[in-house]
Amino acid sequence: MPLSTILIVIGSWALLAALTLLLPFFNGREG
Amino acid sequence: MPTGGGPPIDVIAGLSAYLVLVICIGIWSSRYVRGLDDFLLGGRRLGPYVTAISERASGESAWFLMGLPGAAYALGFRQFWAVIGIAFGVFFSWLVIALPLRRASERLGALTLPDYFAASYPHFAVPLRIVSTVAILVFYISYLGAQILGAGKLFQSLFGWESPVAGAALGAAIVAAYTMLGGFLAVAWTDLLQGVMMALVALALPVLAIVDLGWSTMSEVLIDSRPAEFFVMGNFALDQAASGLGWGAAIGSLAWGLGYLGQPHLLSRYMAIARPEDVRRAMRIAMIWVLVAYWGVTLTGILGVAVLGPSITDRELVVAQMARALLPGWLAGLVMAGILAAIMSTADSQLLVATSAVVEDVVVRLLGVSLSRKQIVALSRVVTVILTAVAVLPLLSERAQRMIDTIVAYAWSGLGSTFGPALILVLWWRQTSGVGVLAGMVTGVVATIVWKNVDVLNTAVDLKVAAFFCSSVAVVAGSLLARRRVARSTTQPGTDSLSERGK
């Protein structure tokens, strides 16, 4: 299994998981 | 998957239990439907869990448990590009659209997406409403037909029926029954059940596959049965466009995520959440669903090569066959129900959006018909049934079936680029004007049709990226050109008041 595949599949998952956990730091705005 | 004798009794039992349950949810939730706002948005009283799981279940159609794992079974790890694009598309949509749309739609008294555009630009209310309503009706009725045909094909392969029409009629009758009875609440609560079933299937199957075969046997079998391309995400050093391994293919797959920004049946979830403060929590729940279900279902397809062998006859049934191989009969029946759930949870939401376009946008707003709360709920129920028939009847003719396929091929990108750029800019860019929104919506539809039919364009830039880009440019250009000519409404407008009719 190529390392790039492992990095992209697991890396994108981890990035999204981290963003989801960090959500309270984003603030929405009314349009 | 038997095609002769039909499935064993325990599979039928699992499937029937699910179907009875969704009908019961329809009957139960019908008690809460008193006005049009109840029927179309559940009276804006959804909690964060129901909102989040309902949005996810509606967002994923038959493609989620059939198309995607089937493609992963055949093509391998490169399918993760689509998964990554979709996951970030869902994330971005919740982050950028959900909260401002929830607040603005309540402030303006908007029940549908056309309502929201029309109320934001009262001077352009009629053309905005007509363009958005026509786009919704054309795309959603054919989309609904395609989902119902998908259900028909699933029944056909399960029970060995000769044609998909009987199964389609059965699926349509069940979806129409609970949607008609309970409206949005029935759709949302059945979605909750359906979404949980879908995630459980996606989580359980890869784990069971690894436990069953053992890690080392599994990887050996996988490597022996598929070529090296199966395991790579792309070969970007060379021009590999023809093999589907170049940058173009990766970007095209990632671009599926753009579609999430403009799907009215998902945007209505954001409008329906009870408290704006709950949007963030709902977003987190939706993202956990995405992280579990998407990666899980793609892995299921890939591991299917090891569990089922490298050449099953119908790759779209890889999840169904994995369930039969790894689970006891009644649980496998629930997995089949899960696949049906993926189809029905999308179909019911699309049916409701099409109903809202007819009742709210055409009858109440454009024609100005004044009805009591009771009458309007009755009308909505009748329209729900009629629209189901309109979507199902063409399935009897093969020529019409092909036409549905053609329109559906435009639908995802068409809806995404028609509504996505316009909506984001209305919410976030104060200078956006009614002219800009109108230009963006028309450009979104036109660009999708042109790109799909001109091969030179289609091979140069991916359709989804191009249509989204053209539509965005049109909104900005139209807004700058028509700047300051017409004031924008941010409160309930007098000319297009949405608060006066019998909700």
Side-chain angles (χ1 to χ4, degrees), chain B residues 422-445:
Chain B
L423 181 61
I424 291 174
L425 286 163
V426 173
L427 291 170
W428 288 90
W429 190 44
R430 290 206 166 271
Q431 294 191 37
T432 310
S433 73
V435 175
V437 172
L438 202 57
M441 291 202 289
V442 174
T443 306
V445 176

Side-chain angles (χ1 to χ4, degrees), chain B residues 23 26-27 29-31 33 39 176-183 186 377 381:
Chain B
I23 294 288
I27 295 169
S29 51
S30 67
R31 296 165 42 213
V33 181
F39 195 81
Y178 71 74
T179 307
M180 179 202 76
L181 283 170
V377 169
R381 289 186 165 142

Side-chain angles (χ1 to χ4, degrees), chain B residues 26 300 345:
Chain B
T300 305
S345 59

Side-chain angles (χ1 to χ4, degrees), chain B residues 41-394:
Chain B
L41 285 185
R44 289 191 217 267
R45 51 174 170 244
L46 286 195
Y49 285 89
V50 188
T51 307
I53 306 290
S54 165
E55 187 268 341
R56 289 293 68 238
S58 306
E60 309 317 328
S61 58
W63 183 77
F64 174 74
L65 287 175
M66 296 174 86
L68 173 65
Y73 173 87
L75 302 171
F77 283 87
R78 80 184 80 156
Q79 276 307 305
F80 272 107
W81 285 122
V83 168
I84 293 166
I86 287 163
F88 277 90
V90 174
F91 179 76
F92 193 69
S93 178
W94 274 98
L95 187 67
V96 171
I97 297 174
L99 185 60
L101 180 63
R102 165 64 182 81
R103 286 188 171 146
S105 68
E106 188 180 36
R107 194 177 60 236
L108 295 166
L111 296 182
T112 66
L113 199 59
D115 260 358
Y116 173 66
F117 286 127
S120 294
Y121 303 102
H123 296 277
F124 288 95
V126 172
L128 282 173
R129 198 183 288 279
I130 290 174
V131 171
S132 47
T133 303
V134 168
I136 285 176
L137 281 177
V138 170
F139 285 135
Y140 274 118
I141 289 177
S142 49
Y143 226 152
L144 176 62
Q147 297 298 329
I148 288 170
L149 186 61
K153 285 179 176 164
L154 186 70
F155 278 117
Q156 184 187 16
S157 75
L158 264 179
F159 295 101
W161 290 342
E162 274 183 21
S163 123
V165 174
L170 178 63
I174 292 165
V175 169
Y178 71 74
T179 307
M180 179 202 76
L181 283 170
F184 190 92
L185 277 183
V187 169
W189 279 96
T190 50
D191 281 353
L192 177 69
L193 171 73
Q194 290 154 343
V196 169
M197 286 166 70
M198 288 155 70
L200 284 178
V201 170
L203 182 65
L205 287 180
V207 173
L208 285 172
I210 294 171
V211 171
D212 194 56
L213 281 182
W215 183 262
S216 54
T217 323
M218 170 113 62
S219 30
E220 274 168 37
V221 177
L222 258 180
I223 290 166
D224 287 344
S225 5
R226 284 284 189 256
E229 292 91 70
F230 189 85
F231 301 94
V232 297
M233 298 288 287
N235 186 344
F236 304 118
L238 303 164
D239 179 22
Q240 293 276 346
S243 63
L245 283 168
W247 282 113
I251 291 170
S253 296
L254 284 171
W256 282 109
L258 291 174
Y260 282 90
L261 304 172
Q263 305 290 324
H265 67 293
L266 306 183
L267 300 170
S268 65
R269 266 65 193 162
Y270 304 151
M271 298 189 196
I273 196 164
R275 300 183 317 155
E277 308 88 87
D278 283 338
V279 167
R280 197 122 303 154
R281 193 194 285 172
M283 172 177 187
R284 195 173 285 164
I285 297 158
M287 289 314 298
I288 291 170
W289 192 97
V290 164
L291 290 167
V292 169
Y294 264 111
W295 270 257
V297 83
T298 315
L299 215 53
T300 305
I302 290 171
L303 298 182
V305 178
V307 175
L308 304 167
S311 48
I312 57 175
T313 45
D314 186 351
R315 70 183 201 189
E316 299 227 320
L317 293 176
V318 60
V319 167
Q321 295 202 9
M322 290 273 275
R324 296 289 281 274
L326 296 167
L327 293 168
W330 64 276
L331 265 179
L334 279 183
V335 173
M336 307 302 158
I339 300 174
L340 194 62
I343 297 171
M344 289 169 70
S345 59
T346 305
D348 59 13
S349 313
Q350 294 176 333
L351 177 59
L352 199 65
V353 165
T355 304
S356 77
V358 172
V359 177
E360 163 72 3
D361 294 308
V362 177
V363 176
V364 176
R365 306 298 309 155
L366 283 172
L367 302 178
V369 177
S370 158
L371 295 166
S372 74
R373 285 169 69 87
K374 251 190 176 162
Q375 285 171 323
I376 208 155
V377 169
L379 175 71
S380 303
R381 289 186 165 142
V382 173
V383 169
T384 303
V385 175
I386 293 174
L387 285 174
T388 312
V390 171
V392 172
L393 286 178

